[in-house]
């Protein structure tokens, strides 16, 4: 029961902090503010400001890309489901040792069998490639957007607001 309360509190705090920072789609996709940065210094300033300003939107982009990566790699989805389901099943249905004839099967034996089958299956599913694809795709989309969108007028006052 206590764990459920902690999960609910975590979801509430996540909603209050991250999801409240999501900017409107009209502001995020404002094509009138798109321009090529004059030099690397301007691009760096834009990236610095826009990654803070659109942090909620960029987090949402990463989440959508992660879901897409899992859906497009069904073997990885099966391997993760097998491992998570195996852990849940072992903890729920086999907390005590079970005897089959002369053999006693403990949780340790079941976890060993789960790892012997699950880890090679997970290795074949290539989660490392999926992770690096997610990092690369997110980086290209986020850095591309952040460098091409001009900061709004409020960015001029951000430095003044921090000093007051």
């Amino acid at each position: 029961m206590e764990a459920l309360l902690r999960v609910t509190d975590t979801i509430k705090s996540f909603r209050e902090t991250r999801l409240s920072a999501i900017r409107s789609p009209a502001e995020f996709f404002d094509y009138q503010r798109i321009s090529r940065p004059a030099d690397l210094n301007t691009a760096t300033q834009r990236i610095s400001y826009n990654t803070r300003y659109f942090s909620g939107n960029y987090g949402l982009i990463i989440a959508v890309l992660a879901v897409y990566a899992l859906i497009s790699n069904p073997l990885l989805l099966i391997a993760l489901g097998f491992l998570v389901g195996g852990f849940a099943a072992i903890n729920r249905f086999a907390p005590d040792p079970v005897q089959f004839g002369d053999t006693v099967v403990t949780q340790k034996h079941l976890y060993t069998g789960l790892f012997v089958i699950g880890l090679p299956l997970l290795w074949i599913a290539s989660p490392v490639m999926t992770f690096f694809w997610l990092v690369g795709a997110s980086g290209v989309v986020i850095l591309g957007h952040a460098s091409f969108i001009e900061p709004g007028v409020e960015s001029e006052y951000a430095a003044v607001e921090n000093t007051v």
Side-chain angles (χ1 to χ4, degrees):
M1 187 67 179
E2 184 180 318
L4 182 64
L5 291 174
R6 277 188 280 154
V7 168
T8 340
D9 291 340
T10 305
I11 290 173
K12 283 181 184 177
S13 68
F14 177 76
R15 188 179 335 152
E16 291 170 358
T17 57
R18 288 292 176 194
L19 295 183
S20 66
I22 293 178
R23 306 293 176 180
S24 70
E27 187 177 4
F28 188 71
F29 296 113
D30 188 7
Y31 64 89
Q32 295 173 348
R33 290 179 28 198
I34 293 176
S35 70
R36 195 179 121 237
D39 56 359
L40 187 60
N41 188 28
T42 307
T44 305
Q45 288 174 349
R46 287 183 183 184
I47 289 170
S48 174
Y49 177 77
N50 285 335
T51 50
R52 281 183 272 118
Y53 188 72
F54 292 116
S55 66
N57 297 70
Y58 294 149
L60 190 63
I61 287 173
I62 292 171
V64 167
L65 286 173
V67 168
Y68 171 75
L70 280 176
I71 291 173
S72 65
N73 191 350
L75 187 58
L76 180 61
L77 200 58
I78 290 169
L80 290 175
F82 178 76
L83 286 170
V84 170
F87 279 120
I90 290 171
N91 284 332
R92 177 174 238 181
F93 299 120
D96 299 326
V98 179
Q99 185 165 356
F100 291 106
D102 293 338
T103 308
V104 175
V105 180
T106 63
Q107 268 191 339
K108 185 177 180 181
H109 293 111
L110 293 173
Y111 282 130
T112 303
L114 181 67
F115 279 132
V116 165
I117 297 169
L119 289 182
L121 184 63
L122 189 65
W123 181 258
I124 293 169
S126 67
V128 176
M129 182 195 71
T130 304
F131 172 76
F132 282 117
W133 177 87
L134 180 62
V135 169
S138 302
V140 167
V141 170
I142 291 170
L143 291 177
H145 180 270
S147 64
F148 283 109
I149 294 288
E150 290 181 3
V153 176
E154 65 275 358
S155 70
E156 301 295 328
Y157 301 105
V160 174
E161 184 178 306
N162 290 338
T163 59
V164 174

